[in-house]
């Protein structure tokens, strides 16, 4: 019985023939990862690239990603600006309401003083 530990580097154990077989190259047909020199048997039944092979993308992908990142940053800043503006407006309205209440209170006190002064003077 032969297993993969008994085969030399570059060979794999064929379980049907019970022999060490030469590993297959990129694009050859395969049934398991161990049969490929890249150790990557694709679902289509062919040996694929190694898993650590870098995937090169076009320049346009970098441009689109950069534009999306920049657009997201701008949208975030605009959203935060409008959110802050709404909070600022609400706080200003609260201060204006407080000022009106205090002013009305002050006017009532002044009016009470005037009424008291007139009533004392009329005695």
């Amino acid at each position: 019985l032969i297993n993969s530990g008994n085969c030399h580097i570059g060979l794999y154990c064929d379980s049907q023939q019970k022999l060490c077989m030469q590993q297959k190259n990129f694009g050859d047909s395969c049934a398991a990862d161990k049969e490929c020199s890249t150790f990557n048997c694709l679902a289509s039944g062919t040996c694929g690239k190694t898993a650590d092979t870098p995937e090169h993308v076009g320049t346009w992908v970098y441009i689109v990603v950069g534009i999306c990142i920049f657009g997201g940053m701008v949208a975030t800043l605009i959203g935060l600006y409008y959110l802050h503006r709404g909070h600022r407006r609400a706080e200003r309205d609260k201060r204006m309401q407080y000022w009106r209440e205090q002013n009305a209170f002050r006017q009532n006190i002044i009016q009470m003083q005037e009424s008291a002064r007139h009533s004392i003077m009329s005695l």
Side-chain angles (χ1 to χ4, degrees):
L1 186 62
I2 298 175
N3 64 26
S4 61
N6 293 335
C7 294
H8 294 287
I9 296 175
L11 302 175
Y12 73 95
C13 177
D14 187 343
S15 58
Q16 293 177 350
Q17 296 181 12
K18 310 270 193 250
L19 294 172
C20 289
M21 306 289 288
Q22 182 68 37
Q23 286 182 321
K24 299 175 182 176
N25 294 321
F26 176 76
D28 293 343
S29 64
C30 61
D33 289 338
K34 67 179 182 177
E35 296 178 15
C36 300
S37 60
T38 59
F39 295 102
N40 186 17
C41 185
L42 303 174
S44 62
T46 59
C47 292
K49 298 177 186 176
T50 60
D52 61 348
T53 302
E55 195 65 37
H56 296 285
V57 295
T59 306
W60 68 272
V61 174
Y62 292 106
I63 292 171
V64 168
V65 168
I67 290 171
C68 288
I69 289 171
F70 183 74
M73 288 171 34
V74 169
T76 300
L77 289 174
I78 290 171
L80 288 173
Y81 169 76
Y82 282 110
L83 182 68
H84 177 70
R85 189 172 79 169
H87 286 287
R88 192 176 58 210
R89 184 175 295 145
E91 287 298 317
R92 186 184 67 225
D93 291 344
K94 285 180 189 177
R95 283 191 306 271
M96 286 301 293
Q97 181 181 357
Y98 176 77
W99 181 84
R100 284 188 208 105
E101 289 172 0
Q102 292 299 313
N103 195 31
F105 182 62
R106 182 177 178 272
Q107 292 300 323
N108 286 341
I109 290 174
I110 291 172
Q111 188 178 22
M112 284 182 356
Q113 285 176 341
E114 290 294 323
S115 295
R117 185 173 300 146
H118 286 295
S119 69
I120 290 175
M121 294 296 217
S122 64
L123 289 177

